[in-house]
Amino acid sequence: MKITHIEHIGIAVKSIEEQLPYYEGVLGLKCYNIETVEDQKVKTAFFKVGQTKIELLEPTSEESTIAKFIEKRGEGIHHMAFATENVNDALKEMEGKGVRLIDHEARPGAEGLNIAFLHPKSTGGVLTELCEHPE
Ligand code: ZN
């Protein structure tokens, strides 16, 4: 398994619109994509910072895991995503090393990436995502 870089940092927010003055006005980053991921009940906004992105996550329903996260822990960093060449191979290798998985197989995520989550119990409390750009 080869981790190539941090693909993105996911940040849970109550409202993307309310955060734009900070990310665009203060940091000078440009929001280049806003996308709703229906099955995760979340609206996402993306900013590039070099090779890495910031992904703001706004819940579109109270059922959303992001809504539950904000309710429990407040707004803030939700997960970190590593880019790797093959998510399914990485999952197999990690499971073999005793890492607890949330997803046992890659699934489609925002921006056309294949993604899978690892359980924070196995990653020092950091909800961790693996992503791969499909060929
Ligand atoms: Zn993510």
Side-chain angles (χ1 to χ4, degrees), residues 18-37:
E18 278 175 21
Q19 296 303 326
L20 289 180
Y22 171 65
Y23 285 96
E24 293 196 316
V26 178
L27 297 182
L29 302 173
K30 179 94 194 74
C31 176
Y32 69 92
N33 185 22
I34 292 190
E35 186 180 336
T36 299
V37 185

Side-chain angles (χ1 to χ4, degrees), residues 72-120:
K72 222 165 117 186
R73 301 173 61 171
E75 294 178 298
I77 292 182
H78 176 261
H79 67 272
M80 178 171 65
F82 290 124
T84 186
E85 282 156 5
N86 186 310
V87 169
N88 284 330
D89 286 354
L91 289 173
K92 233 177 266 161
E93 188 179 328
M94 288 180 144
E95 198 167 28
K97 290 178 176 170
V99 174
R100 219 168 123 186
L101 308 179
I102 292 176
D103 297 303
H104 289 264
E105 226 176 299
R107 58 185 168 89
E111 298 212 295
L113 299 178
N114 294 325
I115 65 154
F117 281 93
L118 311 176
H119 199 284

Side-chain angles (χ1 to χ4, degrees), residues 61-76:
S61 150
E62 282 172 21
E63 312 289 281
S64 165
T65 55
I66 298 300
K68 289 172 188 157
F69 176 89
I70 291 172
E71 199 177 296
K72 222 165 117 186
R73 301 173 61 171
E75 294 178 298

Side-chain angles (χ1 to χ4, degrees), residues 13-14 115:
V13 299
K14 288 179 186 161
I115 65 154

Side-chain angles (χ1 to χ4, degrees), residues 7-13 16 23 32-33 35 37 40 42-49 52-58 66 76-81 109-111 113 115 117 129 131:
E7 216 284 333
H8 64 269
I9 309 269
I11 299 173
V13 299
I16 285 170
Y23 285 96
Y32 69 92
N33 185 22
E35 186 180 336
V37 185
Q40 289 176 61
V42 83
K43 188 168 137 189
T44 57
F46 290 91
F47 305 83
K48 280 201 177 92
V49 188
T52 301
K53 300 166 204 159
I54 289 175
E55 176 186 32
L56 300 184
L57 301 152
E58 174 191 318
I66 298 300
I77 292 182
H78 176 261
H79 67 272
M80 178 171 65
E111 298 212 295
L113 299 178
I115 65 154
F117 281 93
E129 178 183 347
C131 338

